[in-house]
């Protein structure tokens, strides 16, 4: 059963999505609490697993990472052993920034970030295609990222 979050919890989560480095004092002010109850709520959200961690967003272009690709992967055979082996291999590839299991015609979706097309080609041929469980690789190069959100739509507390 999903955890219940009220309007104040939602405001805390939104403020953290906007700036995860906000101080507790500033967070408390933004959500109209004093610092102690604000920190108590924050700790409860962390301990319940609603807040799983805090991350850093980087500017890929500023780092010379000009290619972002979405790669659909189909395994030779979609078995538990093949999946475990594939997932373990993918975890070792630093170019892979996301890996999701899918339904339908593909088994996995990977997001890969590399410097340029030459690096992408090398990644596919030397790393991804060399994983024994991989049967098919289908790539889409991202031309422009229009939106990236860390915040998900929160359930409406009034409907619960």
């Amino acid at each position: 059963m999903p955890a219940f979050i009220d309007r104040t919890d939602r405001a805390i989560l939104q403020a953290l999505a906007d700036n995860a480095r906000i101080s507790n004092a500033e967070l408390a002010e933004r959500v109209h609490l004093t610092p102690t109850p604000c920190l108590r709520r924050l700790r409860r959200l962390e301990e319940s697993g609603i807040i799983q961690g805090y991350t850093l967003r980087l500017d890929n272009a500023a780092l010379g990472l000009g290619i972002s690709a979405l790669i659909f992967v189909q395994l030779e055979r979609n078995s538990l052993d093949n999946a475990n082996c594939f997932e373990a291999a993918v975890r070792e590839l630093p170019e892979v920034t996301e890996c999701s299991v899918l339904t339908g015609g593909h088994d996995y979706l990977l997001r890969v970030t590399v410097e340029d097309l030459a690096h992408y080609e090398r990644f596919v041929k030397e790393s991804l295609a060399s994983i024994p469980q991989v049967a098919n690789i289908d790539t889409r190069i991202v031309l422009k990222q229009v939106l990236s959100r860390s915040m998900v739509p929160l359930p409406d507390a009034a409907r619960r």
Side-chain angles (χ1 to χ4, degrees):
M1 178 142 186
F4 177 76
I5 57 171
D6 64 15
R7 180 175 289 132
T8 303
D9 293 334
R10 293 165 62 95
I12 289 170
L13 294 172
Q14 184 61 60
L16 290 170
D18 294 341
N19 177 9
R21 294 186 60 174
I22 191 171
S23 70
N24 184 59
E26 192 177 345
L27 178 61
E29 186 177 321
R30 276 190 65 182
V31 300
H32 310 293
L33 289 174
T34 58
T36 300
C38 182
L39 186 58
R40 207 173 11 250
R41 281 178 174 263
L42 180 60
R43 295 293 179 245
R44 183 179 50 78
L45 290 167
E46 291 170 342
E47 290 166 6
S48 71
I50 291 173
I51 296 176
Q52 293 184 344
Y54 301 88
T55 62
L56 174 70
R57 279 195 333 220
L58 301 173
D59 183 334
N60 291 347
L63 293 168
L65 299 168
I67 299 293
S68 181
L70 302 175
I71 304 173
F72 296 92
V73 176
Q74 190 173 15
L75 300 184
E76 282 290 341
R77 198 168 62 89
N78 196 356
S79 68
L80 183 58
D81 285 342
N82 275 356
N84 288 337
C85 289
F86 174 77
E87 291 170 16
V90 164
R91 283 187 188 95
E92 299 300 317
L93 303 174
E95 299 89 348
V96 177
T97 59
E98 293 179 38
C99 176
S100 301
V101 178
L102 303 177
T103 62
H106 299 96
D107 299 314
Y108 289 90
L109 173 63
L110 308 179
R111 179 177 289 277
V112 171
T113 305
V114 293
E115 291 91 345
D116 53 32
L117 287 175
H119 283 94
Y120 177 75
E121 180 181 14
R122 193 166 40 255
F123 166 79
V124 169
K125 289 179 177 174
E126 296 175 7
S127 298
L128 190 57
S130 69
I131 299 172
Q133 295 76 24
V134 173
N136 189 14
I137 298 169
D138 184 13
T139 299
R140 302 292 186 269
I141 300 294
V142 176
L143 297 176
K144 177 173 102 173
Q145 186 169 12
V146 176
L147 177 68
S148 176
R149 289 187 180 133
S150 61
M151 188 66 173
V152 297
L154 297 173
D156 186 2
R159 289 185 285 166
R160 303 185 128 222

